[in-house]
Amino acid sequence: MSDYLFPPLEVFLLAVAGEAAEFPVRRIFCVGRNYVAHAQEMGGEVDREAPWYFTKQAAHAVHSGAVLPYPPGTENYHHEMELAFAIGAPVFRASAAEAQAAIYAYGCALDMTRRDRQQDGKDNRRPWSLGKDVEGSAVFAGLTKAADFGAVGGQRIHLQVNGEARQGAVLADMVWSCGEIVEHLSRYYHLQAGDIVMTGTPAGVGAVLAGDVIEGGIDGLAPVLLTLTDAE
Ligand code: MN
């Protein structure tokens, strides 16, 4: 028997294709503006000097297939379809080769966003937490090992809402590659097995409504699905 005062947070686990053991998620890092066309639609420019980040708590992760109420505190909840990658070994101040070797698996993910609260943050030069660190806003499909996925490049990334195409690009459109992200991020964090990085979204982000079914895919990976029901 433990002597916790209440049950501690359960570890969020992701299935890995072809692997009996599951991947326990530790931290979630998210890359901002990693596709030129999305940076432009947000009224900004790509930062070519270095990638930059925000985070989501692992407590806010949900599995693909989740059915969740439209979240409180927004009238402009947006979909962002993203490639996520999973770190499989400790890596700090990584070389290019070490960075690539630390990427254990890839998966489809949704970075759901209160766009109005994110805009408040931009307008007032405040953090984006209410916009980005939303309960249930990090939606993850099961992972595919990097060796099985192959090189990131021409795979199509896309998102549909109620079957209608909203986002589409190829992974080669990313400004910063997964390896480059690990190289950079590992200068600031001792990355560990269990850490996940969401690599940014292509153009075509937009609002979703209660009742919408959001489905995203990337060639070679399991799709990610989210259904929104009426607000609580
Ligand atoms: Mn995003």
Side-chain angles (χ1 to χ4, degrees), residues 5 7 14 17 20 39 41 53-55 62 72-74 87 91 118 131 156 162 194 209 215 218 224:
L5 289 168
L14 285 172
E41 76 179 346
Y53 313 92
F54 56 90
T55 57
V62 295
T74 182
I87 297 290
V91 60
Q118 183 191 26
R156 215 173 97 72
N162 305 324
L209 301 169
E215 181 167 17
I218 296 171
V224 60

Side-chain angles (χ1 to χ4, degrees), residues 30-31 54 80 82 111 113 132 200-201:
C30 306
V31 179
F54 56 90
E80 293 192 0
E82 313 209 354
D111 164 15
T113 301
K132 286 294 195 180
T201 197

